[in-house]
Amino acid sequence: MSNPEPKELDIYVYFPNKKPILLSRRLICNAELVCETKLEKNEKGQERKVEKIQIERFKLRDIEQVMRNQGWEMGAKTQHLWFTGKAYQLPEEAKNASEDGSIIDKVLSNAIEANFVDWDWLLSFNIVREKLEQLLMTKKAFMVKNIYNPNYLIYCYDFHDACYNVPYNIYTSSAKNALINKFKSDKDSNNNRFGYKFGKEILLGYKNSKYIFSQEMENIHFYHRYWQFQYIPIGDGGFEKPVTESSIEDWFATFGSFTLNVAPYEIDITEIEKNVYKVDILKVAIYARDTFDFNGNQYLGFWNKNGVVLPMMENFRQAAYLGMNAMLSKAKEFKLEMNNEVDYAIQKPLLKNGDSINKDLYFPVNNSDYRRWRENSKKNDPAGIGFGRDMILFSKINIQKVEDLSIIVRIDNERDVKK
């Protein structure tokens, strides 16, 4: 049996406070990761250096322990669940809860992780507290804060000629319209709700009384699918992500990015006239949600057993690519099918500071590495099942009272509603 051909890798050399530089250093490694390094220098009279060294093997599964060593316990937990769970690739439709009945059963049996984190943990991070405040900010609170930044909710004032309807707040017209549509519904794309009540059923069956969504909350996936009416992203913007490894917090190690979502919890229904109802939202349910999968191409940092390195150059490149990807996918004049994920991967290892190649060599990790690991585990499993389980993560639910959140719902007919 012939030995596999050696693998040649160019290396980035990273110096603090400077951008990574690709030098003419190259690793030539055999299957046992015994590597020769060749460094060519241009100084006059300088001879080429060749040395044979043993590179410490770094496995993808080591990332779990690296996270634990850094104190990112929930990040380590997600890694552990993925690597030890039965192989499952999350369908793209499940990422935005638009999957049909033929997919839902597989998602429910394979992917759902309810109550994954609690709110004490979530609220330990400044970014979560700030986003939650923005999500629930009332007009009164807005006026007291005197916020004019369009990144926050802007209301109409009598002395303003225009109104700004910025998203990510439960009092915006878009959020209210979304909630109205939830109550006007009497079926979904599959003509069923898997045993749960339609919006019209609730209006007719509990008119002039209160209704609590306690039954719906028992299955967080369906609760989110049918009743979530507003959300706010966390970690989605380029400036919300850590710039360097020293600024990584456990929320980022766990999710990368996620959303805080809102659904009605306790409502008061008043019949104003036939087919017209006033719905007062007394309490809302708030929960974090994230899809933990490795679909698409995405660079996830440089890793070894000592930790992770996030060079600024690559972070900004990826952020720029993400922004361009989002703009082009929304522009109607572009007939391009852009990947929902960041189509950005890095293949060159990085030598931090240029010191010990055994200690300071960091390997690039991409989404494709996790997919490759999952496929290899299937091949090595006699049953052909393997490991590598994509998940939909939900936090515990946080119930919050809200003020002055009301909608008017007009339903056209009641023919299809079973009382």
Side-chain angles (χ1 to χ4, degrees):
M1 181 176 178
S2 60
N3 293 325
E5 292 186 5
K7 185 175 184 179
E8 296 190 5
L9 300 170
D10 289 325
I11 304 175
Y12 277 111
V13 179
Y14 175 71
F15 301 94
N17 303 319
K18 295 182 181 180
K19 66 180 182 180
I21 303 172
L22 180 61
L23 299 182
S24 56
R25 182 188 290 267
R26 175 168 293 182
L27 280 183
I28 304 177
C29 306
N30 63 18
E32 286 73 38
L33 282 183
V34 175
C35 303
E36 291 181 349
T37 65
K38 293 184 178 180
L39 176 61
E40 299 177 4
K41 293 187 176 180
N42 296 325
E43 290 88 344
K44 189 174 182 180
Q46 182 75 41
E47 295 183 358
R48 296 181 180 181
K49 293 183 178 180
V50 179
E51 57 179 329
K52 216 174 219 185
I53 59 172
Q54 172 74 52
I55 299 294
E56 184 178 10
R57 184 180 293 275
F58 176 72
K59 304 183 298 296
L60 199 63
R61 282 218 61 177
D62 293 335
I63 291 179
E64 176 188 341
Q65 188 58 50
V66 173
M67 286 189 172
R68 191 162 284 113
N69 294 343
Q70 299 292 333
W72 305 328
E73 289 297 331
M74 294 309 301
K77 180 180 177 181
T78 55
Q79 295 288 321
H80 181 78
L81 288 179
W82 192 88
F83 280 111
T84 59
K86 292 182 179 179
Y88 179 71
Q89 182 170 358
L90 193 69
E92 284 297 320
E93 304 95 313
K95 299 189 72 168
N96 59 9
S98 63
E99 71 273 52
D100 60 28
S102 63
I103 298 176
I104 276 189
D105 288 338
K106 292 182 180 179
V107 171
L108 289 174
S109 60
N110 289 288
I112 303 301
E113 282 290 330
N115 301 317
F116 184 73
V117 295
D118 60 35
W119 276 87
D120 287 339
W121 181 83
L122 283 168
L123 293 176
S124 67
F125 305 106
N126 289 333
I127 191 172
V128 177
R129 295 195 298 271
E130 292 169 1
K131 293 283 185 146
L132 180 62
E133 180 184 22
Q134 182 180 340
L135 185 64
L136 301 179
M137 188 181 293
T138 64
K139 180 177 180 180
K140 180 179 179 181
F142 166 79
M143 295 176 69
V144 169
K145 286 180 174 290
N146 196 27
I147 296 174
Y148 291 92
N149 187 331
N151 289 322
Y152 290 85
L153 178 66
I154 304 294
Y155 284 93
C156 302
Y157 288 100
D158 294 337
F159 52 84
H160 277 185
D161 294 329
C163 301
Y164 298 89
N165 188 14
V166 177
Y168 311 141
N169 180 276
I170 62 173
Y171 293 96
T172 60
S173 59
S174 59
K176 290 183 178 180
N177 288 336
L179 193 51
I180 289 171
N181 289 331
K182 302 291 184 184
F183 281 101
K184 291 175 69 174
S185 66
D186 57 9
K187 61 183 178 180
D188 67 2
S189 59
N190 304 301
N191 295 317
N192 66 67
R193 287 214 173 197
F194 302 91
Y196 294 93
K197 295 182 180 67
F198 296 112
K200 287 184 181 180
E201 277 187 276
I202 293 174
L203 292 179
L204 292 169
Y206 296 87
K207 58 187 176 185
N208 300 317
S209 63
K210 292 182 179 179
Y211 182 79
I212 296 178
F213 289 77
S214 54
Q215 180 188 7
E216 288 77 5
M217 284 176 52
E218 292 176 2
N219 190 317
I220 186 63
H221 183 65
F222 286 124
Y223 189 41
H224 173 80
R225 179 186 176 95
Y226 294 122
W227 288 106
Q228 182 261 9
F229 69 94
Q230 186 55 294
Y231 74 97
I232 190 167
I234 296 178
D236 203 36
F239 292 103
E240 294 177 1
K241 298 182 183 297
V243 177
T244 65
E245 59 274 9
S246 61
S247 59
I248 295 177
E249 295 183 291
D250 199 9
W251 70 265
F252 182 77
T254 304
F255 299 119
S257 63
F258 64 104
T259 56
L260 292 183
N261 301 269
V262 186
Y265 174 70
E266 183 177 346
I267 61 175
D268 192 8
I269 304 170
T270 304
E271 185 180 32
I272 300 176
E273 56 184 83
K274 185 174 177 58
N275 294 340
V276 181
Y277 300 87
K278 180 175 183 284
V279 180
D280 294 302
I281 312 302
L282 307 179
K283 296 179 182 179
V284 294
I286 306 168
Y287 53 92
R289 179 184 182 271
D290 181 47
T291 56
F292 190 82
D293 66 271
F294 297 97
N295 296 338
N297 294 323
Q298 188 171 1
Y299 148 73
L300 305 173
F302 291 88
W303 294 79
N304 71 10
K305 290 187 177 181
N306 299 313
V308 60
V309 176
L310 301 177
M312 275 192 190
M313 182 178 72
E314 300 303 347
N315 289 349
F316 283 121
R317 280 181 178 175
Q318 182 173 225
Y321 195 99
L322 174 60
M324 183 62 67
N325 184 75
M327 285 190 293
L328 290 179
S329 63
K330 292 178 181 178
K332 295 181 180 179
E333 60 269 26
F334 287 94
K335 296 181 179 180
L336 297 176
E337 293 185 3
M338 302 297 289
N339 196 320
N340 290 331
E341 298 289 342
V342 184
D343 189 16
Y344 192 87
I346 297 176
Q347 303 300 334
K348 298 179 175 66
L350 179 146
L351 183 60
K352 184 179 179 181
N353 300 331
D355 293 337
S356 167
I357 198 168
N358 194 41
K359 173 185 174 184
D360 294 329
L361 186 65
Y362 289 75
F363 294 90
V365 176
N366 302 283
N367 275 2
S368 57
D369 296 311
Y370 281 84
R371 296 198 302 272
R372 190 180 301 112
W373 187 95
R374 178 167 52 205
E375 291 307 311
N376 285 338
S377 75
K378 290 180 182 178
K379 293 177 181 177
N380 295 327
D381 184 354
I385 298 174
F387 298 93
R389 173 185 170 231
D390 290 351
M391 299 170 286
I392 304 178
L393 308 176
F394 289 94
S395 73
K396 290 187 175 181
I397 292 178
N398 181 5
I399 305 298
Q400 294 270 352
K401 290 183 179 180
V402 293
E403 301 175 356
D404 304 322
L405 181 56
S406 301
I407 56 173
I408 302 297
V409 184
R410 301 174 185 273
I411 57 177
D412 298 326
N413 61 74
E414 303 176 7
R415 289 197 309 270
D416 298 329
V417 179
K418 297 180 181 179
K419 297 184 180 180

